[in-house]
Amino acid sequence: MTTPTEQLAAAGVSIWLDDLSRHRITSGNLADLIATRNVTGVTTNPTIFAAAIGKGDGYDGQVAVLASRGASADDAIFEITTDDVRNGADIFRPVYDETQGVDGRVSIEVSPDLAHDTDATIAQAKQLWATVDRPNVLIKIPATKAGLPAITEVIGSGISVNVTLIFSLERYDAVIDAYLAGLEQARDSGHDLSTIQSVASFFVSRVDTEVDKRLDAISDPAAAELKSKAGVANARLAYELYEAKFAEKRAQGLVAAGANVQRPLWASTGVKDPSLPDTLYVTELVAPGTVNTMPEKTLEATFDHAVITGDTITGAYADAHGVLDGLAAVGVDFADVTQVLEDEGVEKFIVSWHELQATVADALKNAPEVLR
């Protein structure tokens, strides 16, 4: 009898863990999740690293060495996180080889402080790629307006990218165009297109959190009927857009030249409302060629009791359009929802980044003298 995670993988969904720490790497936990939970990749962000380093989790020795060298907090963060991502990439290398480079991916994010600075984002993306120096890393670039030209330039340099913080279909459309433009640049520069991979990270649960808050403020019974439906509907329409865009002549020409499609990735898949099923954003978003990046709690819930019924996206486009139409009818401005979420998403990562800087600065200051 197969497990739910095996069934999910068989349905064409790549399961990635939304967490990384040195302890996971050194304890064998990451390798165990690959073997027992069908995990084929890992995503990181400043919040994840802040939690890992804040708890210690095996960083004391490296922090002491960095302190003895007089490293700044930013330099220390760069070295610590790129070491973790490099070592994680080595653990996933067999998966990368088995899947011809599709999976076995580990993501690392450019500093959120650079989210509105195109040139600095490009420079740091290239620096991260060169420092990690593994073919199965993905550089995370946010889908802000300043991020779009950075995505094109970085892809055009032959670097694989995880585009993050996507909330709206309009921005997702622009992200796909930025990816295709990058592939065209890469082709014209002589890069092997088959080596460039990209995912587009579409956030799910945060959409429901924001929309449901607005629906609760509306007395219309029709509003109550729409609760906790927007996140899944928005993601399903993203998949509809993905299918349409990659069927067009421009994309097909690049695919014929060896390029890979940019897979949709479902992010923010931990269920925040306790009244909802804890596997909602997994079971309702199953379709071939997608990635679902899960916090460990969601991964374990999926493994334990998720009911996987095959493709739950492509037959549901009409319903998804109906949900968005319904939101408009009761007065929810969905364009405003997605802009608020993008602004909040960038700001939350900036706050986490500054917390990470403070945590590391404190650790450097208090590193044991005996180890210096």
Side-chain angles (χ1 to χ4, degrees), residues 22-253:
R22 188 150 301 176
H23 178 71
R24 283 196 188 279
I25 292 165
T26 58
S27 68
N29 169 264
L30 202 54
D32 184 59
L33 292 174
I34 294 169
T36 66
R37 300 293 188 267
N38 305 91
V39 170
T40 61
V42 158
T43 47
T44 66
N45 60 45
T47 306
I48 287 167
F49 278 126
I53 296 170
K55 285 187 293 191
D57 259 2
Y59 295 98
D60 291 354
Q62 186 173 17
V63 168
V65 171
L66 289 162
S68 72
R69 296 201 324 236
S72 69
D74 281 357
D75 288 344
I77 290 167
F78 190 87
E79 190 163 323
I80 289 167
T81 58
T82 54
D83 280 357
D84 278 1
V85 168
R86 184 183 306 109
N87 292 329
D90 288 343
I91 291 170
F92 277 102
R93 184 58 191 255
V95 178
Y96 170 84
D97 291 336
E98 287 162 18
T99 61
Q100 286 78 52
V102 174
D103 280 317
R105 297 279 172 171
V106 183
S107 295
I108 186 167
E109 189 149 7
V110 296
S111 165
D113 278 335
L114 310 178
H116 302 297
D117 186 331
T118 302
D119 291 342
T121 294
I122 292 166
Q124 191 174 88
K126 291 180 177 179
Q127 185 186 15
L128 287 167
W129 177 262
T131 302
V132 175
D133 193 27
R134 294 294 185 271
N136 51 328
V137 70
L138 288 169
I139 308 302
K140 290 179 83 172
I141 298 175
T144 54
K145 287 177 181 173
L148 294 172
I151 292 159
T152 295
E153 172 67 25
V154 173
I155 291 285
S157 301
I159 295 171
S160 295
V161 172
N162 175 343
V163 182
T164 188
L165 286 177
I166 308 172
F167 295 97
S168 75
L169 296 173
E170 293 75 18
R171 185 57 55 83
Y172 180 39
D173 188 88
V175 164
I176 296 174
D177 285 341
Y179 173 61
L180 297 176
L183 289 175
E184 288 161 351
Q185 285 187 18
R187 177 196 61 202
D188 295 346
S189 300
H191 289 287
D192 178 357
L193 297 186
S194 69
T195 65
I196 303 170
Q197 281 282 349
S198 184
V199 293
S201 296
F202 218 85
F203 282 52
V204 187
S205 68
R206 292 189 197 181
V207 173
D208 275 341
T209 301
E210 180 65 25
V211 168
D212 287 0
K213 183 172 68 178
R214 298 184 186 207
L215 290 171
D216 284 339
I218 299 170
S219 56
D220 187 337
E225 290 294 312
L226 292 163
K227 279 199 70 176
S228 306
K229 293 181 178 178
V232 167
N234 195 40
R236 285 171 170 170
L237 295 180
Y239 193 83
E240 182 184 41
L241 180 60
Y242 153 78
E243 286 191 311
K245 292 282 282 189
F246 282 98
E248 290 173 0
K249 185 177 178 181
R250 181 187 186 190
Q252 283 298 304

